[in-house]
C-alpha cells in the first residue's frame, strides 16, 4: 500500500483543477486520499503566490503540518504549486518541507515520494517546461460542474503579477484533448463545463483559436452549459462574442478583469487597453449578448495611484455596473516590475480605497439582484442550500440563487425569484426542465432532455 495523502488547496480555480491532476497521478500510483490530516502519510498543500496574504495563510498551515509530522516522523510534508516554484530550497531550509514540487513536475510525484521515503528528505523539483498534463484525466472536483484547463502559463507580464514567473510560458492543450476531457465529463453526468486559463482568449492549436475551441466544446458538451475564465480585455474579439451568441449552451457570462479605471495606471500595469477601449468592449458585448453578466477583478493602491486615479476606477465601476467584482489591495511581489515602482500608497489610503470600492460595488450588486425579483430563470441545481431545506442553483449568467424546494443536484429547473435574503435571490420552483439529475454516485440518471 502506497499510503494515504491529505491535500489542501489554496488559490484560484486553476489550482483546484491542478489538485485534480495531482489526485489522479497519486491514485494511479496506488495512493488513496483521506480528508483527515491527522492520519495522513503525506501532508500536501497546493499553494498560491498571487498575493502575500495567500502565502501567509499557507505558511501558517505548514506549521500545523510540521506539528503532525513531529508526532510521526515518517510522514512527509509536501508543497506544490506557485510557492514551490517561487521559493524552492527556501521552503526546505526555512519551513522544513520534505518535498517541494513545482507546477510542471507533478508526473514525477510518485518517484519523488519514493526517494523521500528512502531517506532523501528536502528534495526540490521545480523545473519549468511546456508540460500540459495531456495524458492525465484529473479527478473531478464536483459532480455537477467541471473545470477543463485549456491553456497553462502566461506571457502577458502585467507589471504587478507573479504568474508568468511561477507558471511559465503560455502553452495550449491540444484541442482534441480538451474535447475528449469535455466528453468524458459530460458522459460522467456533469451539467456544466468551465474552460480555464490565465487568458483563455490566447488559446491556440495550429490554426484554431479560442473561438473555434469554444464552438467545438459547446458542440461536444451537448446540453451541458459552457462558460470560461479568464478573458483578457485586450484579446476579446467580435468573433468570440459572435460564437458565444450563436452557441445556445454557452452562457452569457464574461469575467473581464478591469484592474484599474485610470489610463495612467493601466499603462503602468502593462494591461494593453485604455478605459475608453474597455468601455467600448463592454458596450459591444452587451449588444451582442443580451442578458450578459459581467464580473471583474479590480486592484486599488497600485504604486503611484493618486486619489484622482482611484476616482477614475470608481467612475468606471459605476458606468459599467458589474454583476460582481473581486477586489484587491496591491500586494508587492518581489521580482515583478511593479515591486520597483514608487511611491507606494500608504496602508491607511489603500484600506480606505478598498473599503470605498467594495461599498460602491456592493450597492450595484444589490440593485442588480433586486431587479431579479419577479423574473423567471433557468437554474442548474448544484447542491443543498447551506441553511434551510432548499437547494442552491445557478442562473445561466452565473448568479447564485436559493431555491426554496429541495431539489437533486444536476437538475435544471425554471424558477421565479420572489425576494432577496440579504444579497441572495430566493426563488420558487415553476417547472423542472430536465429529468436527469446527478445520482449520489455522480452518474447521470437518464437521457438528455431540455
Ligand atoms: N489572468 C487573470 C487576468 O489577467 O485577469 C488573473 C490572474 S490573477 C491570478 C487574479 C487577480 O489577482 C488579478 O486579476 C489581479 O486583480 C489580482 N492580482 C494579481 N497580482 C496581484 C498583486 N500583486 N496584488 C494584488 N492583486 C493582484
Ligand atoms: Fe497575471 Fe496579467 Fe497574466 Fe493575468 S494576464 S496571469 S494578471 S500577468
Amino acid at each position: 500500500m502506497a499510503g494515504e495523502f491529505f491535500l489542501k488547496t489554496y488559490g484560484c480555480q486553476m489550482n483546484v483543477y491542478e489538485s485534480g491532476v495531482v489526485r489522479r497521478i497519486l491514485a494511479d500510483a496506488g495512493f488513496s486520499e483521506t480528508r483527515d490530516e491527522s492520519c495522513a502519510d503525506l501532508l500536501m498543500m497546493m499553494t498560491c503566490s498571487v498575493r502575500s496574504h495567500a502565502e501567509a495563510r499557507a505558511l501558517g498551515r505548514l506549521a500545523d503540518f510540521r506539528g503532525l509530522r513531529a508526532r510521526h516522523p515518517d510522514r512527509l510534508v509536501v508543497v506544490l504549486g506557485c510557492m514551490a516554484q517561487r521559493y524552492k530550497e527556501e521552503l526546505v531550509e526555512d519551513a522544513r518541507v520534505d518535498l517541494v514540487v513545482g507546477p510542471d513536475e507533478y508526473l514525477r510525484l510518485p518517484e519523488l515520494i519514493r526517494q523521500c521515503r528512502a531517506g532523501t528528505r528536502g528534495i526540490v523539483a521545480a523545473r519549468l517546461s511546456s508540460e500540459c498534463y495531456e495524458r492525465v484525466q484529473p479527478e473531478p472536483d464536483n459532480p455537477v460542474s467541471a473545470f477543463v484547463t485549456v491553456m497553462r502559463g502566461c506571457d502577458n507580464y502585467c507589471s504587478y503579477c507573479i504568474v508568468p514567473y511561477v507558471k511559465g510560458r503560455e502553452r495550449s492543450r491540444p484541442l482534441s484533448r480538451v474535447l475528449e476531457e469535455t466528453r468524458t465529463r459530460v458522459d460522467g453526468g456533469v451539467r456544466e463545463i468551465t474552460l480555464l486559463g490565465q487568458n483563455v482568449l490566447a488559446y491556440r492549436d495550429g490554426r484554431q483559436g479560442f473561438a473555434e475551441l469554444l464552438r467545438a466544446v459547446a458542440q461536444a458538451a451537448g446540453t451541458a452549459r459552457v462558460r470560461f475564465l479568464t478573458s483578457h480585455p485586450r484579446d476579446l474579439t467580435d468573433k468570440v462574442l459572435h460564437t458565444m451568441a450563436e452557441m445556445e449552451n454557452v452562457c452569457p457570462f464574461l469575467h473581464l478583469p478591469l484592474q484599474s479605471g485610470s489610463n495612467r495606471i493601466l499603462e503602468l500595469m502593462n494591461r494593453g487597453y485604455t478605459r475608453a477601449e474597455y468601455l467600448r468592449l463592454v458596450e459591444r458585448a452587451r449588444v451582442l449578448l443580451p442578458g450578459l453578466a459581467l464580473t471583474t477583478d479590480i486592484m486599488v493602491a497600485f504604486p503611484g495611484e493618486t486619489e484622482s486615479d482611484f476616482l477614475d476606477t470608481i467612475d468606471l465601476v459605476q458606468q459599467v455596473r458589474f454583476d460582481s467584482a473581486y477586489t484587491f489591495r496591491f500586494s508587492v511581489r518581489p521580482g515583478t516590475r511593479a515591486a520597483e515602482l514608487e511611491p507606494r500608497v500608504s496602508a491607511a489610503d489603500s484600506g480606505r480605497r478598498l473599503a470605498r470600492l467594495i461599498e460602491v460595488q456592493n450597492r450595484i450588486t444589490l440593485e442588480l439582484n433586486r431587479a431579479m425579483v419577479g423574473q423567471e430563470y433557468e437554474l442548474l441545481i448544484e447542491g443543498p442550500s447551506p441553511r434551510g431545506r432548499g437547494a442552491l442553483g445557478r442562473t445561466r449568467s452565473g448568479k447564485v440563487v436559493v431555491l426554496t424546494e429541495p431539489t437533486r443536484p444536476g437538475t435544471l429547473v425554471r424558477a421565479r425569484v420572489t425576494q432577496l435574503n440579504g444579497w441572495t435571490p430566493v426563488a420558487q420552483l415553476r417547472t423542472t426542465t430536465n429529468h436527469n439529475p446527478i445520482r449520489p454516485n455522480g452518474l447521470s440518471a437518464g437521457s438528455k432532455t431540455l
Side-chain angles (χ1 to χ4, degrees), residues 154 156-158 160-161 163-164 198 232 271:
C154 183
N156 282 324
Y157 290 93
C158 298
Y160 50 81
C161 186
V163 169
Q198 293 298 349
H232 194 302
R271 286 294 287 176

Side-chain angles (χ1 to χ4, degrees), residues 50-51 160 198 230 257 259 271 297 299 328-331 333:
V50 169
R51 282 170 292 278
Y160 50 81
Q198 293 298 349
T230 291
Q259 311 301 0
R271 286 294 287 176
D297 295 344
M299 195 187 305
F328 309 106
R329 195 195 293 240
F330 170 73
S331 168
R333 304 287 67 209

